Amino acid sequence: MCYSGNIKNAIDVFDYTALVEIPGKRKIFNMMPGVFTGLGILGTFVGLVLGLSDLNFSGSTQALEQGINNLISGMYLAFLTSIAGLISSLVWSWVDRELLNYYRKK
């Protein structure tokens, strides 16, 4: 490329909008809290389905006890994934907001 004599000021090229708020580039960052929450809800349903799949009311008392233990294990997974999804969503939102504020101040 040949030098045309036009040198732009660095502030005009490397400003906040060009570096941080590039149109369309922040879309994935804005979607992530919803993705984390959705994955937490998906894990909740998977845990409940796994827990309910071994529940047998027509068997012996010991089989019912084992089914209830499996149900509790599935509920543990369900609640754990829900909590992990919500915490991930909150942490992502907070970090993203703090980074945006940091770059806006610069």
Side-chain angles (χ1 to χ4, degrees):
M1 234 158 107
C2 294
Y3 172 66
S4 64
N6 294 335
I7 297 177
K8 292 187 175 186
N9 190 352
I11 293 175
D12 294 336
V13 177
F14 299 111
D15 65 342
Y16 172 77
T17 305
L19 294 175
V20 178
E21 291 186 2
I22 301 170
K25 300 290 183 182
R26 290 217 22 96
K27 199 176 281 189
I28 188 74
F29 293 105
N30 294 333
M31 279 182 5
M32 288 309 292
V35 169
F36 287 133
T37 304
L39 288 173
I41 292 171
L42 178 65
T44 300
F45 288 122
V46 168
L48 290 175
V49 166
L50 289 175
L52 289 171
S53 66
D54 291 333
L55 201 55
N56 184 6
F57 292 109
S58 62
S60 67
T61 306
Q62 190 169 0
L64 185 58
E65 279 183 27
Q66 183 63 33
I68 290 173
N69 287 336
N70 290 340
L71 176 62
I72 291 172
S73 297
M75 289 174 62
Y76 175 76
L77 175 69
F79 288 125
L80 191 64
T81 57
S82 293
I83 291 169
L86 290 174
I87 289 174
S88 300
S89 175
L90 291 172
V91 167
W92 181 277
S93 297
W94 180 75
V95 169
D96 187 44
R97 190 172 347 135
E98 289 297 317
L99 286 174
L100 279 175
N101 288 335
Y102 171 78
Y103 288 119
R104 282 184 183 138
K105 289 178 184 176
K106 285 194 163 238

